[in-house]
Amino acid sequence: MSSTTGHSALHEASRRRTFAIISHPDAGKTTLTEKFLLYAGAVGEAGAVKARSGRRSATSDWMEMEQKRGISITSTALQFPYRDHVLNLLDTPGHRDFSEDTYRVLAAVDAVVMVLDSAKGIEPQTLKLFEVCRSRNLPVITFLNKFDRPGREALELLDEIESKIGLRPTPATWPVGISGDFRGVIDRRTRIFTRFTRTARGGSIAPEEEVTPDRAAQEEGPSWDRAVDESGLLDAIGASVDVPSFLAGESSPVFVGSALTNFGVRHVLDALVDLAPAPSPRRDSNDVPRPLDADCSAYVFKVQANMDRSHRDRIAFVRICSGVFERGMVLTNSRTDRPFATKYASTVFGAERTTVDLAYPGDVVGLVNATDLHIGDTLYADTPVTFPPIPRFSPEVFALARPLDTGKVKQFRKGLAQLDEEGVVQVLRDPDAAESSPVLAAVGQLQFDVFADRLANEFNAPIEVLSAPYESIRSTDAASAHRLRSIGGIRIMERSDGVMVALFESQYRLARLLVDEPELTLSPITN
Ligand code: G4P
């Protein structure tokens, strides 16, 4: 690539911050997203994203916003400028249940903002999500939300983060006033107290006032003294923001606030710019970093078909890893060596699409008509590269799909193949009995619901999902499969990519085999 293009890739990459917000449903992810847009100046008034009735109708409102403000929004990635930077906020599915989709999004971001409801702390269903971030060493910024109303003590929440996730919380800001009577925050790094004034339902930016410690002591009295004491205690135990351990995913800068009243929102946005990492060179499957200023490369982290009934097509969402993406360029798929013309590159939101002409490392582009693209595929412009596959979770739940309408076998098969390829569930087949019912495997029950729903609605092949009697799965090989077949309670199946797996009806049987017959290949599934 020309040196000017290489230079612009480097420059633009350094301005990018690509992140996701993760939270338990109702902790405030949508509200915080709106407030980010408000503070970034992308919308004039928050609440534009919420339906008047109180329930969200984000789709239509966002589409309208997109048209009015020219900001690029997709249901997959939201892009907005802030302080001469470009923030890419990738959407994680807002389900209670963990699913593989979420994991793939986490593989495509450089940092996450973890939002906790201060009254609730870490809720069991989302613990796994947070643990995944921790195990992947993703830098995590924590936002203790809803501090405007009575909740738990901030110190207690810090303990919980440390003990449950193993992430060392390092408060960047600390509340002045208790939850329920929240006055503002001290920035522990600068000692500046920012006092906020509420606006009606937080519809506009909260007026902020920087207050000196002397005045704060006079005006806030015991609330101030307490905040200073607690902050001193945090100093004493060394709980101060530490950038290297944050970047290594070991400690997490904590911000206290209220997305509803906008208290502390700006601090989090600033932290994304000041602390979160810019895209860095991605390592290929030989562990060689692909320089950001190399020619364009990208990988597919999500594939979605039939996003809208009126466009029955397939979109592959790619994250740009190096170089400059220019719409119309022809990229090569490293898995198939086949060219892919990027004539239809867009951001997508609901039924609306906006053409993307240029994109840089960290950006997300939706490639339309992506018939041959699979999750994990690498695309490159000139110099060949293959990125490692997106790590997968070992399935934990298993089911059988029984077609309800035997006249729809063709539709059923087509849907099964399509949804398997999209990664909605993993479809396992018996290699020796091609006609037998496949077993569906997933990390969360929700994936089965989505699968059944899409089969019925998009493929007109309604099914009943029945539970399957398996507790564990391991990958294996032909030699071990031969032995395993002779043992009861184990079934040998094959994934569509040819990987052979063993399904165990009992965890105990698996545990015994690992001890008694260590020569057998029984590896945890990571790919
Ligand atoms: P989610 O995307 O994580 O599911 O959460 P969402 O932002 O939709 O917020 C869930 C509820 O919590 C909403 O109330 C929202 O207004 C409220 N909320 C979010 N942030 C704060 C905060 O900082 N303080 C307080 N007190 N409440 C907050 P709702 O009643 O479901 O909807 P609405 O009628 O308020 O729109």
Side-chain angles (χ1 to χ4, degrees):
M1 78 164 15
S2 75
S3 63
T4 352
T5 325
H7 178 262
S8 81
L10 280 180
H11 174 67
E12 292 297 330
S14 71
R15 301 199 308 135
R16 282 342 192 234
R17 296 292 182 271
T18 301
F19 68 104
I21 303 180
I22 55 171
S23 72
H24 191 80
D26 280 339
K29 187 169 81 167
T30 312
T31 313
L32 187 64
T33 303
E34 287 173 4
K35 299 310 171 71
F36 278 174
L37 294 176
L38 177 72
Y39 274 78
V43 293
E45 194 181 331
V49 183
K50 289 241 177 180
R52 257 164 294 279
S53 66
R55 259 353 286 167
R56 247 156 293 164
S57 75
T59 311
S60 57
D61 288 334
W62 274 359
M63 267 156 39
E64 206 177 294
M65 260 165 43
E66 184 165 33
Q67 281 156 5
K68 277 198 197 136
R69 319 252 168 201
I71 45 174
S72 130
I73 296 172
T74 77
S75 53
T76 297
L78 183 84
Q79 187 177 71
F80 56 94
Y82 181 69
R83 278 182 40 197
D84 202 31
H85 284 67
V86 176
L87 272 55
N88 290 310
L89 168 50
L90 271 59
D91 190 29
T92 49
H95 316 302
R96 230 158 254 281
D97 204 355
F98 190 72
S99 77
E100 283 190 270
D101 280 351
T102 313
Y103 194 51
R104 295 183 192 122
V105 171
L106 294 180
V109 297
D110 300 316
V112 298
V113 175
M114 171 170 83
V115 179
L116 298 180
D117 180 332
S118 299
K120 299 194 171 138
I122 295 172
E123 296 168 75
Q125 290 118 314
T126 29
L127 181 58
K128 182 162 174 184
L129 183 55
F130 302 151
E131 281 171 349
V132 169
C133 296
R134 177 74 188 88
S135 68
R136 302 263 306 148
N137 294 328
L138 266 174
V140 177
I141 292 172
T142 303
F143 185 58
L144 300 181
N145 190 28
K146 305 200 185 182
F147 229 77
D148 56 293
R149 65 180 194 193
R152 291 165 55 187
E153 301 263 341
L155 283 172
E156 192 187 316
L157 292 164
L158 298 188
D159 270 350
E160 189 167 293
I161 295 169
E162 177 127 41
S163 63
K164 289 202 173 156
I165 321 177
L167 188 63
R168 190 160 55 84
T170 55
T173 64
W174 200 247
V176 176
I178 47 168
S179 48
D181 181 23
F182 182 34
R183 319 306 299 264
V185 295
I186 310 181
D187 189 321
R188 297 187 56 242
R189 299 159 299 177
T190 58
R191 305 280 155 189
I192 291 173
F193 168 41
T194 307
R195 184 161 56 197
F196 301 98
T197 307
R198 271 187 94 128
T199 60
R201 275 196 65 81
S204 51
I205 289 177
E208 290 174 19
E209 186 190 3
E210 285 188 3
V211 182
T212 59
D214 288 348
R215 249 184 74 207
Q218 258 174 27
E219 293 167 15
E220 302 296 340
S223 298
W224 173 256
D225 296 341
R226 179 179 162 154
V228 170
D229 282 354
E230 287 182 344
S231 186
L233 181 76
L234 293 168
D235 288 341
I237 58 168
S240 299
V241 173
D242 173 51
V243 175
S245 62
F246 160 62
L247 295 177
E250 292 158 7
S251 73
S252 173
V254 177
F255 294 83
V256 180
S258 156
L260 186 72
T261 61
N262 305 338
F263 289 20
V265 169
R266 189 196 304 282
H267 289 87
V268 183
L269 267 182
D270 285 339
L272 281 163
V273 168
D274 297 331
L275 302 177
S280 57
R282 190 170 188 86
R283 291 183 176 274
D284 68 15
S285 43
N286 298 318
D287 211 25
V288 178
R290 170 92 166 182
L292 292 167
D293 56 355
D295 56 281
C296 183
S297 66
Y299 71 95
V300 180
F301 68 94
K302 175 172 167 174
V303 171
Q304 199 152 9
N306 309 329
M307 282 184 73
D308 185 281
R309 295 268 193 143
S310 56
H311 309 265
R312 291 190 70 86
D313 58 11
R314 196 173 141 93
I315 299 184
F317 291 95
V318 302
R319 173 180 157 136
I320 308 296
C321 300
S322 66
V324 180
F325 169 88
E326 290 171 56
R327 187 170 64 85
M329 74 195 319
V330 175
L331 299 173
T332 304
N333 181 344
S334 76
R335 181 178 50 84
T336 59
D337 276 338
R338 295 188 35 193
F340 181 86
T342 61
K343 190 168 161 203
Y344 301 104
S346 62
T347 59
V348 182
F349 192 78
E352 289 291 303
R353 295 185 183 172
T354 309
T355 301
V356 167
D357 288 316
L358 282 176
Y360 301 94
D363 289 347
V364 169
V365 176
L367 298 174
V368 186
N369 291 340
T371 333
D372 289 333
L373 299 186
H374 293 182
I375 288 168
D377 279 356
T378 302
L379 298 172
Y380 62 86
D382 299 320
T383 323
V385 62
T386 301
F387 294 115
I390 297 177
R392 292 184 98 158
F393 257 109
S394 189
E396 290 182 10
V397 283
F398 304 91
L400 299 170
R402 193 174 70 84
L404 288 175
D405 183 345
T406 44
K408 298 276 166 52
V409 174
K410 226 171 104 185
Q411 289 89 330
F412 173 69
R413 289 213 180 120
K414 189 169 167 222
L416 210 62
Q418 167 77 54
L419 299 177
D420 184 20
E421 218 175 279
E422 271 185 52
V424 175
V425 294
Q426 295 182 33
V427 178
L428 309 175
R429 293 171 195 282
D430 188 332
D432 302 325
E435 290 306 309
S436 70
S437 325
V439 171
L440 312 178
V443 299
Q445 200 68 34
L446 172 89
Q447 287 177 247
F448 298 143
D449 299 345
V450 172
F451 177 78
D453 193 66
R454 291 192 55 189
L455 265 183
N457 292 315
E458 291 168 25
F459 297 90
N460 197 16
I463 57 157
E464 185 181 11
V465 175
L466 306 167
S467 72
Y470 307 110
E471 292 187 347
S472 264
I473 185 168
R474 284 287 191 273
S475 71
T476 187
D477 56 23
S480 301
H482 184 67
R483 160 76 185 123
L484 294 168
R485 278 197 180 94
S486 67
I487 306 171
I490 301 176
R491 190 154 176 215
I492 302 298
M493 304 288 276
E494 211 171 68
R495 269 190 350 204
S496 55
D497 59 1
V499 171
M500 201 173 257
V501 297
L503 293 173
F504 292 81
E505 287 182 16
S506 131
Q507 301 256 23
Y508 173 73
R509 163 93 20 104
L510 169 61
R512 281 304 301 263
L513 266 180
L514 291 172
V515 175
D516 295 348
E517 303 188 37
E519 68 285 359
L520 291 176
T521 304
L522 287 171
S523 325
I525 293 185
T526 52
N527 256 308

